[in-house]
Amino acid sequence: MALAKLGVVVLDCPDPSALAGFYAGVLGGTVEGDGDWVDLAVPGGQALAFQKAPGFVPPQWPAPDDSQQFHLDLVVDDLDAAEKGVLELGAKPLDAADRERTFRVYADPAGHPFCLCAC
């Protein structure tokens, strides 16, 4: 028996509204709120929240000496189309050169790593 259920995944960042807008462009959904805490209600999925963190330092990837903290795996049908879309939204490639793999790694505009993963 579970002791709890997952409420929301929260990303620290310097600008919650901007980062929520980025993920709304990637995942769809509705951005709710503004200021120091912003929610993204994702249709049919787990909600994401974004919290203002003064002095935020983005995780490093790859991080042989430091923790990458966490990353999101985002499942897509077409890696090339999804890559084009996330780059247009402001993502930065971290490890996307190997076109034979079933995943590619990017950083969101605040520096959090995420992977686009083929089904």
Side-chain angles (χ1 to χ4, degrees), residues 24-80:
V26 174
L27 300 170
T30 305
V31 176
E32 301 171 351
D34 58 18
D36 292 347
W37 183 280
V38 176
D39 292 308
L40 175 61
V42 180
Q46 180 67 41
L48 288 175
F50 306 89
Q51 176 176 276
K52 185 174 182 104
F56 172 76
V57 176
Q60 299 299 308
W61 191 97
D65 297 327
D66 295 309
S67 170
Q68 69 175 320
Q69 299 175 17
F70 88 108
H71 73 273
L72 299 172
D73 282 347
L74 308 178
V75 178
V76 301
D77 292 323
D78 183 332
L79 278 171
D80 292 329

mmCIF file of all heavy atoms in Angstrom, residues 24-80:
data_model
loop_
_atom_site.group_PDB
_atom_site.id
_atom_site.type_symbol
_atom_site.label_atom_id
_atom_site.label_comp_id
_atom_site.label_asym_id
_atom_site.label_seq_id
_atom_site.Cartn_x
_atom_site.Cartn_y
_atom_site.Cartn_z
ATOM 1 N N ALA A 24 4.641 24.502 -21.860
ATOM 2 C CA ALA A 24 3.318 24.508 -22.495
ATOM 3 C C ALA A 24 3.472 24.355 -24.001
ATOM 4 O O ALA A 24 2.683 23.671 -24.657
ATOM 5 C CB ALA A 24 2.558 25.785 -22.153
ATOM 6 N N GLY A 25 4.502 24.975 -24.575
ATOM 7 C CA GLY A 25 4.773 24.815 -26.000
ATOM 8 C C GLY A 25 5.193 23.409 -26.359
ATOM 9 O O GLY A 25 4.895 22.917 -27.442
ATOM 10 N N VAL A 26 5.877 22.729 -25.444
ATOM 11 C CA VAL A 26 6.338 21.360 -25.692
ATOM 12 C C VAL A 26 5.227 20.341 -25.435
ATOM 13 O O VAL A 26 4.999 19.439 -26.245
ATOM 14 C CB VAL A 26 7.563 21.028 -24.798
ATOM 15 C CG1 VAL A 26 7.963 19.567 -24.941
ATOM 16 C CG2 VAL A 26 8.747 21.929 -25.126
ATOM 17 N N LEU A 27 4.528 20.481 -24.307
ATOM 18 C CA LEU A 27 3.574 19.463 -23.859
ATOM 19 C C LEU A 27 2.117 19.826 -24.079
ATOM 20 O O LEU A 27 1.242 18.977 -23.919
ATOM 21 C CB LEU A 27 3.770 19.200 -22.355
ATOM 22 C CG LEU A 27 5.152 18.699 -21.928
ATOM 23 C CD1 LEU A 27 5.269 18.709 -20.410
ATOM 24 C CD2 LEU A 27 5.396 17.309 -22.482
ATOM 25 N N GLY A 28 1.838 21.084 -24.428
ATOM 26 C CA GLY A 28 0.466 21.556 -24.453
ATOM 27 C C GLY A 28 0.047 21.887 -23.033
ATOM 28 O O GLY A 28 0.846 21.878 -22.108
ATOM 29 N N GLY A 29 -1.210 22.188 -22.859
ATOM 30 C CA GLY A 29 -1.695 22.458 -21.515
ATOM 31 C C GLY A 29 -1.964 23.924 -21.272
ATOM 32 O O GLY A 29 -1.824 24.769 -22.161
ATOM 33 N N THR A 30 -2.336 24.205 -20.038
ATOM 34 C CA THR A 30 -2.741 25.544 -19.641
ATOM 35 C C THR A 30 -1.856 26.042 -18.518
ATOM 36 O O THR A 30 -1.709 25.374 -17.485
ATOM 37 C CB THR A 30 -4.206 25.522 -19.154
ATOM 38 O OG1 THR A 30 -5.016 24.950 -20.180
ATOM 39 C CG2 THR A 30 -4.694 26.912 -18.827
ATOM 40 N N VAL A 31 -1.270 27.221 -18.715
ATOM 41 C CA VAL A 31 -0.468 27.862 -17.676
ATOM 42 C C VAL A 31 -1.416 28.570 -16.729
ATOM 43 O O VAL A 31 -2.276 29.345 -17.160
ATOM 44 C CB VAL A 31 0.540 28.857 -18.297
ATOM 45 C CG1 VAL A 31 1.301 29.599 -17.209
ATOM 46 C CG2 VAL A 31 1.493 28.128 -19.243
ATOM 47 N N GLU A 32 -1.259 28.287 -15.432
ATOM 48 C CA GLU A 32 -2.132 28.861 -14.414
ATOM 49 C C GLU A 32 -1.293 29.591 -13.380
ATOM 50 O O GLU A 32 -0.371 29.025 -12.804
ATOM 51 C CB GLU A 32 -2.951 27.757 -13.758
ATOM 52 C CG GLU A 32 -3.816 26.990 -14.751
ATOM 53 C CD GLU A 32 -4.466 25.750 -14.179
ATOM 54 O OE1 GLU A 32 -4.138 25.355 -13.036
ATOM 55 O OE2 GLU A 32 -5.295 25.157 -14.886
ATOM 56 N N GLY A 33 -1.631 30.862 -13.167
ATOM 57 C CA GLY A 33 -0.943 31.669 -12.171
ATOM 58 C C GLY A 33 0.203 32.448 -12.763
ATOM 59 O O GLY A 33 0.544 32.327 -13.939
ATOM 60 N N ASP A 34 0.787 33.270 -11.928
ATOM 61 C CA ASP A 34 1.993 34.013 -12.284
ATOM 62 C C ASP A 34 2.710 34.373 -10.992
ATOM 63 O O ASP A 34 2.243 34.074 -9.911
ATOM 64 C CB ASP A 34 1.675 35.246 -13.135
ATOM 65 C CG ASP A 34 0.722 36.216 -12.444
ATOM 66 O OD1 ASP A 34 0.553 36.143 -11.214
ATOM 67 O OD2 ASP A 34 0.141 37.050 -13.142
ATOM 68 N N GLY A 35 3.858 34.971 -11.119
ATOM 69 C CA GLY A 35 4.614 35.316 -9.921
ATOM 70 C C GLY A 35 5.623 34.250 -9.563
ATOM 71 O O GLY A 35 6.267 33.670 -10.425
ATOM 72 N N ASP A 36 5.713 33.965 -8.258
ATOM 73 C CA ASP A 36 6.740 33.052 -7.762
ATOM 74 C C ASP A 36 6.393 31.573 -7.925
ATOM 75 O O ASP A 36 7.244 30.716 -7.735
ATOM 76 C CB ASP A 36 7.013 33.331 -6.281
ATOM 77 C CG ASP A 36 7.686 34.674 -6.061
ATOM 78 O OD1 ASP A 36 8.156 35.281 -7.049
ATOM 79 O OD2 ASP A 36 7.746 35.118 -4.901
ATOM 80 N N TRP A 37 5.137 31.262 -8.258
ATOM 81 C CA TRP A 37 4.703 29.868 -8.445
ATOM 82 C C TRP A 37 3.736 29.833 -9.615
ATOM 83 O O TRP A 37 2.744 30.555 -9.635
ATOM 84 C CB TRP A 37 4.003 29.353 -7.195
ATOM 85 C CG TRP A 37 3.597 27.910 -7.281
ATOM 86 C CD1 TRP A 37 2.500 27.405 -7.920
ATOM 87 C CD2 TRP A 37 4.271 26.790 -6.729
ATOM 88 N NE1 TRP A 37 2.451 26.043 -7.794
ATOM 89 C CE2 TRP A 37 3.536 25.641 -7.057
ATOM 90 C CE3 TRP A 37 5.444 26.645 -5.990
ATOM 91 C CZ2 TRP A 37 3.911 24.363 -6.671
ATOM 92 C CZ3 TRP A 37 5.821 25.375 -5.603
ATOM 93 C CH2 TRP A 37 5.064 24.241 -5.936
ATOM 94 N N VAL A 38 4.005 28.984 -10.590
ATOM 95 C CA VAL A 38 3.150 28.842 -11.771
ATOM 96 C C VAL A 38 2.926 27.351 -12.012
ATOM 97 O O VAL A 38 3.861 26.550 -11.910
ATOM 98 C CB VAL A 38 3.811 29.499 -13.013
ATOM 99 C CG1 VAL A 38 2.978 29.279 -14.259
ATOM 100 C CG2 VAL A 38 4.029 30.987 -12.771
ATOM 101 N N ASP A 39 1.678 26.987 -12.309
ATOM 102 C CA ASP A 39 1.326 25.600 -12.614
ATOM 103 C C ASP A 39 1.094 25.435 -14.108
ATOM 104 O O ASP A 39 0.613 26.352 -14.770
ATOM 105 C CB ASP A 39 0.028 25.207 -11.889
ATOM 106 C CG ASP A 39 0.209 25.129 -10.384
ATOM 107 O OD1 ASP A 39 1.142 24.441 -9.931
ATOM 108 O OD2 ASP A 39 -0.586 25.765 -9.662
ATOM 109 N N LEU A 40 1.403 24.244 -14.604
ATOM 110 C CA LEU A 40 1.062 23.866 -15.968
ATOM 111 C C LEU A 40 0.188 22.623 -15.880
ATOM 112 O O LEU A 40 0.657 21.546 -15.475
ATOM 113 C CB LEU A 40 2.310 23.579 -16.803
ATOM 114 C CG LEU A 40 2.052 23.056 -18.221
ATOM 115 C CD1 LEU A 40 1.256 24.070 -19.049
ATOM 116 C CD2 LEU A 40 3.362 22.713 -18.907
ATOM 117 N N ALA A 41 -1.080 22.773 -16.211
ATOM 118 C CA ALA A 41 -2.003 21.643 -16.259
ATOM 119 C C ALA A 41 -1.859 21.003 -17.628
ATOM 120 O O ALA A 41 -2.166 21.621 -18.645
ATOM 121 C CB ALA A 41 -3.432 22.124 -16.024
ATOM 122 N N VAL A 42 -1.356 19.787 -17.652
ATOM 123 C CA VAL A 42 -1.084 19.070 -18.900
ATOM 124 C C VAL A 42 -2.253 18.132 -19.193
ATOM 125 O O VAL A 42 -2.626 17.331 -18.337
ATOM 126 C CB VAL A 42 0.232 18.267 -18.787
ATOM 127 C CG1 VAL A 42 0.523 17.513 -20.067
ATOM 128 C CG2 VAL A 42 1.388 19.191 -18.432
ATOM 129 N N PRO A 43 -2.840 18.217 -20.392
ATOM 130 C CA PRO A 43 -3.975 17.357 -20.698
ATOM 131 C C PRO A 43 -3.609 15.875 -20.600
ATOM 132 O O PRO A 43 -2.634 15.449 -21.206
ATOM 133 C CB PRO A 43 -4.358 17.718 -22.127
ATOM 134 C CG PRO A 43 -3.400 18.741 -22.597
ATOM 135 C CD PRO A 43 -2.425 19.033 -21.492
ATOM 136 N N GLY A 44 -4.356 15.145 -19.795
ATOM 137 C CA GLY A 44 -4.145 13.711 -19.680
ATOM 138 C C GLY A 44 -2.831 13.306 -19.049
ATOM 139 O O GLY A 44 -2.419 12.162 -19.164
ATOM 140 N N GLY A 45 -2.149 14.226 -18.396
ATOM 141 C CA GLY A 45 -0.848 13.893 -17.827
ATOM 142 C C GLY A 45 -0.629 14.508 -16.467
ATOM 143 O O GLY A 45 -1.498 15.167 -15.907
ATOM 144 N N GLN A 46 0.546 14.283 -15.945
ATOM 145 C CA GLN A 46 0.942 14.818 -14.655
ATOM 146 C C GLN A 46 1.209 16.312 -14.776
ATOM 147 O O GLN A 46 1.864 16.742 -15.714
ATOM 148 C CB GLN A 46 2.223 14.107 -14.184
ATOM 149 C CG GLN A 46 2.737 14.564 -12.855
ATOM 150 C CD GLN A 46 1.809 14.205 -11.712
ATOM 151 O OE1 GLN A 46 1.250 13.128 -11.673
ATOM 152 N NE2 GLN A 46 1.634 15.118 -10.799
ATOM 153 N N ALA A 47 0.709 17.084 -13.846
ATOM 154 C CA ALA A 47 0.952 18.525 -13.853
ATOM 155 C C ALA A 47 2.415 18.821 -13.529
ATOM 156 O O ALA A 47 3.097 18.023 -12.885
ATOM 157 C CB ALA A 47 0.050 19.207 -12.829
ATOM 158 N N LEU A 48 2.883 19.949 -14.001
ATOM 159 C CA LEU A 48 4.200 20.468 -13.639
ATOM 160 C C LEU A 48 4.001 21.809 -12.954
ATOM 161 O O LEU A 48 3.064 22.535 -13.279
ATOM 162 C CB LEU A 48 5.072 20.690 -14.881
ATOM 163 C CG LEU A 48 5.616 19.467 -15.591
ATOM 164 C CD1 LEU A 48 6.344 19.883 -16.869
ATOM 165 C CD2 LEU A 48 6.563 18.702 -14.693
ATOM 166 N N ALA A 49 4.897 22.139 -12.040
ATOM 167 C CA ALA A 49 4.862 23.455 -11.402
ATOM 168 C C ALA A 49 6.260 24.062 -11.490
ATOM 169 O O ALA A 49 7.264 23.353 -11.611
ATOM 170 C CB ALA A 49 4.413 23.342 -9.949
ATOM 171 N N PHE A 50 6.306 25.377 -11.423
ATOM 172 C CA PHE A 50 7.554 26.123 -11.579
ATOM 173 C C PHE A 50 7.630 27.131 -10.441
ATOM 174 O O PHE A 50 6.695 27.898 -10.222
ATOM 175 C CB PHE A 50 7.583 26.806 -12.947
ATOM 176 C CG PHE A 50 7.339 25.817 -14.056
ATOM 177 C CD1 PHE A 50 6.048 25.536 -14.485
ATOM 178 C CD2 PHE A 50 8.387 25.131 -14.616
ATOM 179 C CE1 PHE A 50 5.809 24.594 -15.470
ATOM 180 C CE2 PHE A 50 8.161 24.178 -15.595
ATOM 181 C CZ PHE A 50 6.872 23.913 -16.030
ATOM 182 N N GLN A 51 8.748 27.111 -9.734
ATOM 183 C CA GLN A 51 8.921 27.939 -8.547
ATOM 184 C C GLN A 51 10.123 28.848 -8.716
ATOM 185 O O GLN A 51 11.200 28.389 -9.111
ATOM 186 C CB GLN A 51 9.132 27.020 -7.339
ATOM 187 C CG GLN A 51 9.431 27.726 -6.053
ATOM 188 C CD GLN A 51 9.521 26.729 -4.916
ATOM 189 O OE1 GLN A 51 8.515 26.349 -4.346
ATOM 190 N NE2 GLN A 51 10.731 26.293 -4.611
ATOM 191 N N LYS A 52 9.927 30.131 -8.422
ATOM 192 C CA LYS A 52 11.032 31.087 -8.518
ATOM 193 C C LYS A 52 12.088 30.749 -7.465
ATOM 194 O O LYS A 52 11.766 30.532 -6.305
ATOM 195 C CB LYS A 52 10.537 32.510 -8.308
ATOM 196 C CG LYS A 52 11.626 33.533 -8.522
ATOM 197 C CD LYS A 52 11.080 34.945 -8.463
ATOM 198 C CE LYS A 52 12.186 35.927 -8.724
ATOM 199 N NZ LYS A 52 12.123 36.475 -10.062
ATOM 200 N N ALA A 53 13.320 30.683 -7.914
ATOM 201 C CA ALA A 53 14.434 30.358 -7.031
ATOM 202 C C ALA A 53 15.529 31.405 -7.217
ATOM 203 O O ALA A 53 16.315 31.312 -8.162
ATOM 204 C CB ALA A 53 14.964 28.966 -7.334
ATOM 205 N N PRO A 54 15.561 32.417 -6.355
ATOM 206 C CA PRO A 54 16.632 33.413 -6.455
ATOM 207 C C PRO A 54 17.996 32.718 -6.344
ATOM 208 O O PRO A 54 18.180 31.798 -5.554
ATOM 209 C CB PRO A 54 16.383 34.327 -5.263
ATOM 210 C CG PRO A 54 14.938 34.138 -4.927
ATOM 211 C CD PRO A 54 14.642 32.688 -5.260
ATOM 212 N N GLY A 55 18.918 33.114 -7.178
ATOM 213 C CA GLY A 55 20.248 32.507 -7.173
ATOM 214 C C GLY A 55 20.280 31.135 -7.814
ATOM 215 O O GLY A 55 21.227 30.378 -7.616
ATOM 216 N N PHE A 56 19.265 30.803 -8.607
ATOM 217 C CA PHE A 56 19.197 29.499 -9.261
ATOM 218 C C PHE A 56 20.463 29.232 -10.074
ATOM 219 O O PHE A 56 20.934 30.093 -10.817
ATOM 220 C CB PHE A 56 17.975 29.444 -10.187
ATOM 221 C CG PHE A 56 17.919 28.211 -11.039
ATOM 222 C CD1 PHE A 56 17.535 27.005 -10.492
ATOM 223 C CD2 PHE A 56 18.252 28.258 -12.380
ATOM 224 C CE1 PHE A 56 17.476 25.851 -11.271
ATOM 225 C CE2 PHE A 56 18.194 27.121 -13.167
ATOM 226 C CZ PHE A 56 17.812 25.913 -12.613
ATOM 227 N N VAL A 57 21.008 28.046 -9.914
ATOM 228 C CA VAL A 57 22.156 27.586 -10.700
ATOM 229 C C VAL A 57 21.696 26.335 -11.445
ATOM 230 O O VAL A 57 21.292 25.356 -10.817
ATOM 231 C CB VAL A 57 23.359 27.259 -9.801
ATOM 232 C CG1 VAL A 57 24.507 26.691 -10.623
ATOM 233 C CG2 VAL A 57 23.794 28.483 -9.018
ATOM 234 N N PRO A 58 21.700 26.368 -12.792
ATOM 235 C CA PRO A 58 21.211 25.200 -13.525
ATOM 236 C C PRO A 58 22.081 23.972 -13.298
ATOM 237 O O PRO A 58 23.281 24.094 -13.050
ATOM 238 C CB PRO A 58 21.258 25.637 -14.988
ATOM 239 C CG PRO A 58 22.118 26.830 -15.036
ATOM 240 C CD PRO A 58 22.154 27.432 -13.664
ATOM 241 N N PRO A 59 21.463 22.787 -13.373
ATOM 242 C CA PRO A 59 22.240 21.559 -13.258
ATOM 243 C C PRO A 59 23.203 21.424 -14.425
ATOM 244 O O PRO A 59 23.006 22.028 -15.474
ATOM 245 C CB PRO A 59 21.184 20.455 -13.274
ATOM 246 C CG PRO A 59 19.954 21.078 -13.822
ATOM 247 C CD PRO A 59 20.042 22.544 -13.596
ATOM 248 N N GLN A 60 24.218 20.617 -14.237
ATOM 249 C CA GLN A 60 25.201 20.361 -15.291
ATOM 250 C C GLN A 60 24.936 18.995 -15.908
ATOM 251 O O GLN A 60 24.610 18.048 -15.204
ATOM 252 C CB GLN A 60 26.615 20.393 -14.717
ATOM 253 C CG GLN A 60 26.992 21.725 -14.095
ATOM 254 C CD GLN A 60 26.957 22.851 -15.109
ATOM 255 O OE1 GLN A 60 27.552 22.763 -16.166
ATOM 256 N NE2 GLN A 60 26.243 23.913 -14.778
ATOM 257 N N TRP A 61 25.085 18.914 -17.218
ATOM 258 C CA TRP A 61 24.922 17.639 -17.902
ATOM 259 C C TRP A 61 25.930 17.549 -19.025
ATOM 260 O O TRP A 61 26.061 18.515 -19.773
ATOM 261 C CB TRP A 61 23.512 17.504 -18.477
ATOM 262 C CG TRP A 61 23.245 16.112 -18.933
ATOM 263 C CD1 TRP A 61 22.599 15.144 -18.233
ATOM 264 C CD2 TRP A 61 23.643 15.512 -20.152
ATOM 265 N NE1 TRP A 61 22.565 13.984 -18.952
ATOM 266 C CE2 TRP A 61 23.207 14.184 -20.149
ATOM 267 C CE3 TRP A 61 24.341 15.942 -21.281
ATOM 268 C CZ2 TRP A 61 23.428 13.297 -21.183
ATOM 269 C CZ3 TRP A 61 24.568 15.066 -22.316
ATOM 270 C CH2 TRP A 61 24.113 13.752 -22.270
ATOM 271 N N PRO A 62 26.617 16.474 -19.220
ATOM 272 C CA PRO A 62 26.706 15.389 -18.249
ATOM 273 C C PRO A 62 27.441 15.872 -17.009
ATOM 274 O O PRO A 62 28.168 16.858 -17.071
ATOM 275 C CB PRO A 62 27.492 14.316 -18.984
ATOM 276 C CG PRO A 62 28.318 15.061 -19.985
ATOM 277 C CD PRO A 62 27.517 16.286 -20.342
ATOM 278 N N ALA A 63 27.269 15.184 -15.922
ATOM 279 C CA ALA A 63 27.785 15.670 -14.651
ATOM 280 C C ALA A 63 28.644 14.615 -13.954
ATOM 281 O O ALA A 63 28.215 14.026 -12.975
ATOM 282 C CB ALA A 63 26.619 16.085 -13.764
ATOM 283 N N PRO A 64 29.848 14.377 -14.446
ATOM 284 C CA PRO A 64 30.668 13.361 -13.792
ATOM 285 C C PRO A 64 31.058 13.750 -12.364
ATOM 286 O O PRO A 64 31.231 12.886 -11.521
ATOM 287 C CB PRO A 64 31.900 13.240 -14.694
ATOM 288 C CG PRO A 64 31.944 14.509 -15.465
ATOM 289 C CD PRO A 64 30.522 14.986 -15.581
ATOM 290 N N ASP A 65 31.165 15.047 -12.092
ATOM 291 C CA ASP A 65 31.552 15.499 -10.754
ATOM 292 C C ASP A 65 30.417 16.167 -9.994
ATOM 293 O O ASP A 65 30.554 16.453 -8.811
ATOM 294 C CB ASP A 65 32.732 16.481 -10.852
ATOM 295 C CG ASP A 65 33.963 15.819 -11.442
ATOM 296 O OD1 ASP A 65 34.159 14.609 -11.208
ATOM 297 O OD2 ASP A 65 34.720 16.507 -12.148
ATOM 298 N N ASP A 66 29.306 16.462 -10.668
ATOM 299 C CA ASP A 66 28.170 17.123 -10.050
ATOM 300 C C ASP A 66 26.899 16.350 -10.394
ATOM 301 O O ASP A 66 26.832 15.644 -11.385
ATOM 302 C CB ASP A 66 28.022 18.563 -10.570
ATOM 303 C CG ASP A 66 29.186 19.440 -10.166
ATOM 304 O OD1 ASP A 66 29.521 19.458 -8.969
ATOM 305 O OD2 ASP A 66 29.756 20.100 -11.049
ATOM 306 N N SER A 67 25.884 16.558 -9.599
ATOM 307 C CA SER A 67 24.606 15.901 -9.851
ATOM 308 C C SER A 67 23.842 16.650 -10.938
ATOM 309 O O SER A 67 23.800 17.878 -10.939
ATOM 310 C CB SER A 67 23.773 15.887 -8.574
ATOM 311 O OG SER A 67 22.458 15.473 -8.848
ATOM 312 N N GLN A 68 23.208 15.902 -11.845
ATOM 313 C CA GLN A 68 22.331 16.555 -12.816
ATOM 314 C C GLN A 68 20.985 16.860 -12.171
ATOM 315 O O GLN A 68 20.119 17.462 -12.778
ATOM 316 C CB GLN A 68 22.166 15.716 -14.075
ATOM 317 C CG GLN A 68 21.384 14.446 -13.886
ATOM 318 C CD GLN A 68 21.146 13.718 -15.188
ATOM 319 O OE1 GLN A 68 20.865 14.336 -16.210
ATOM 320 N NE2 GLN A 68 21.264 12.414 -15.151
ATOM 321 N N GLN A 69 20.779 16.462 -10.928
ATOM 322 C CA GLN A 69 19.593 16.686 -10.114
ATOM 323 C C GLN A 69 18.443 15.791 -10.554
ATOM 324 O O GLN A 69 17.964 14.993 -9.773
ATOM 325 C CB GLN A 69 19.193 18.156 -10.086
ATOM 326 C CG GLN A 69 20.281 19.034 -9.483
ATOM 327 C CD GLN A 69 19.967 20.505 -9.559
ATOM 328 O OE1 GLN A 69 18.833 20.905 -9.767
ATOM 329 N NE2 GLN A 69 20.982 21.321 -9.395
ATOM 330 N N PHE A 70 17.963 15.915 -11.754
ATOM 331 C CA PHE A 70 16.916 15.068 -12.306
ATOM 332 C C PHE A 70 16.776 15.441 -13.772
ATOM 333 O O PHE A 70 17.349 16.423 -14.221
ATOM 334 C CB PHE A 70 15.585 15.268 -11.559
ATOM 335 C CG PHE A 70 14.755 16.376 -12.134
ATOM 336 C CD1 PHE A 70 13.607 16.080 -12.845
ATOM 337 C CD2 PHE A 70 15.133 17.691 -12.006
ATOM 338 C CE1 PHE A 70 12.857 17.105 -13.405
ATOM 339 C CE2 PHE A 70 14.383 18.715 -12.554
ATOM 340 C CZ PHE A 70 13.241 18.419 -13.255
ATOM 341 N N HIS A 71 16.008 14.671 -14.518
ATOM 342 C CA HIS A 71 15.676 15.067 -15.884
ATOM 343 C C HIS A 71 14.316 14.496 -16.243
ATOM 344 O O HIS A 71 13.829 13.564 -15.597
ATOM 345 C CB HIS A 71 16.753 14.650 -16.890
ATOM 346 C CG HIS A 71 16.785 13.187 -17.170
ATOM 347 N ND1 HIS A 71 17.505 12.292 -16.402
ATOM 348 C CD2 HIS A 71 16.189 12.451 -18.133
ATOM 349 C CE1 HIS A 71 17.348 11.073 -16.887
ATOM 350 N NE2 HIS A 71 16.546 11.138 -17.939
ATOM 351 N N LEU A 72 13.689 15.055 -17.250
ATOM 352 C CA LEU A 72 12.405 14.593 -17.749
ATOM 353 C C LEU A 72 12.631 13.782 -19.018
ATOM 354 O O LEU A 72 13.417 14.183 -19.875
ATOM 355 C CB LEU A 72 11.494 15.779 -18.072
ATOM 356 C CG LEU A 72 11.133 16.708 -16.925
ATOM 357 C CD1 LEU A 72 10.390 17.930 -17.458
ATOM 358 C CD2 LEU A 72 10.288 15.977 -15.893
ATOM 359 N N ASP A 73 11.944 12.659 -19.144
ATOM 360 C CA ASP A 73 11.897 11.899 -20.388
ATOM 361 C C ASP A 73 10.554 12.191 -21.040
ATOM 362 O O ASP A 73 9.505 11.875 -20.465
ATOM 363 C CB ASP A 73 12.030 10.394 -20.136
ATOM 364 C CG ASP A 73 13.454 9.968 -19.857
ATOM 365 O OD1 ASP A 73 14.376 10.764 -20.083
ATOM 366 O OD2 ASP A 73 13.635 8.823 -19.413
ATOM 367 N N LEU A 74 10.578 12.801 -22.216
ATOM 368 C CA LEU A 74 9.369 13.169 -22.936
ATOM 369 C C LEU A 74 9.247 12.265 -24.156
ATOM 370 O O LEU A 74 10.127 12.246 -25.020
ATOM 371 C CB LEU A 74 9.424 14.640 -23.357
ATOM 372 C CG LEU A 74 9.731 15.631 -22.224
ATOM 373 C CD1 LEU A 74 9.812 17.046 -22.771
ATOM 374 C CD2 LEU A 74 8.682 15.530 -21.128
ATOM 375 N N VAL A 75 8.183 11.489 -24.213
ATOM 376 C CA VAL A 75 7.981 10.506 -25.276
ATOM 377 C C VAL A 75 7.368 11.188 -26.495
ATOM 378 O O VAL A 75 6.383 11.923 -26.370
ATOM 379 C CB VAL A 75 7.078 9.355 -24.783
ATOM 380 C CG1 VAL A 75 6.818 8.355 -25.896
ATOM 381 C CG2 VAL A 75 7.718 8.665 -23.577
ATOM 382 N N VAL A 76 7.970 10.950 -27.661
ATOM 383 C CA VAL A 76 7.526 11.575 -28.909
ATOM 384 C C VAL A 76 7.382 10.514 -30.001
ATOM 385 O O VAL A 76 7.982 9.448 -29.925
ATOM 386 C CB VAL A 76 8.502 12.681 -29.375
ATOM 387 C CG1 VAL A 76 8.640 13.766 -28.305
ATOM 388 C CG2 VAL A 76 9.874 12.118 -29.718
ATOM 389 N N ASP A 77 6.586 10.827 -31.010
ATOM 390 C CA ASP A 77 6.424 9.926 -32.146
ATOM 391 C C ASP A 77 7.498 10.163 -33.209
ATOM 392 O O ASP A 77 7.899 9.235 -33.900
ATOM 393 C CB ASP A 77 5.043 10.101 -32.783
ATOM 394 C CG ASP A 77 3.934 9.611 -31.876
ATOM 395 O OD1 ASP A 77 4.135 8.599 -31.177
ATOM 396 O OD2 ASP A 77 2.862 10.241 -31.856
ATOM 397 N N ASP A 78 7.950 11.406 -33.351
ATOM 398 C CA ASP A 78 8.900 11.776 -34.403
ATOM 399 C C ASP A 78 10.007 12.625 -33.778
ATOM 400 O O ASP A 78 9.797 13.794 -33.452
ATOM 401 C CB ASP A 78 8.155 12.562 -35.485
ATOM 402 C CG ASP A 78 9.026 12.949 -36.665
ATOM 403 O OD1 ASP A 78 10.254 13.111 -36.494
ATOM 404 O OD2 ASP A 78 8.471 13.118 -37.767
ATOM 405 N N LEU A 79 11.177 12.021 -33.599
ATOM 406 C CA LEU A 79 12.291 12.729 -32.960
ATOM 407 C C LEU A 79 12.686 13.994 -33.711
ATOM 408 O O LEU A 79 12.936 15.026 -33.100
ATOM 409 C CB LEU A 79 13.513 11.812 -32.828
ATOM 410 C CG LEU A 79 13.533 10.854 -31.650
ATOM 411 C CD1 LEU A 79 14.698 9.878 -31.786
ATOM 412 C CD2 LEU A 79 13.632 11.608 -30.342
ATOM 413 N N ASP A 80 12.753 13.919 -35.035
ATOM 414 C CA ASP A 80 13.187 15.078 -35.809
ATOM 415 C C ASP A 80 12.202 16.247 -35.676
ATOM 416 O O ASP A 80 12.610 17.390 -35.482
ATOM 417 C CB ASP A 80 13.383 14.713 -37.281
ATOM 418 C CG ASP A 80 14.555 13.765 -37.496
ATOM 419 O OD1 ASP A 80 15.530 13.827 -36.714
ATOM 420 O OD2 ASP A 80 14.491 12.956 -38.432
#
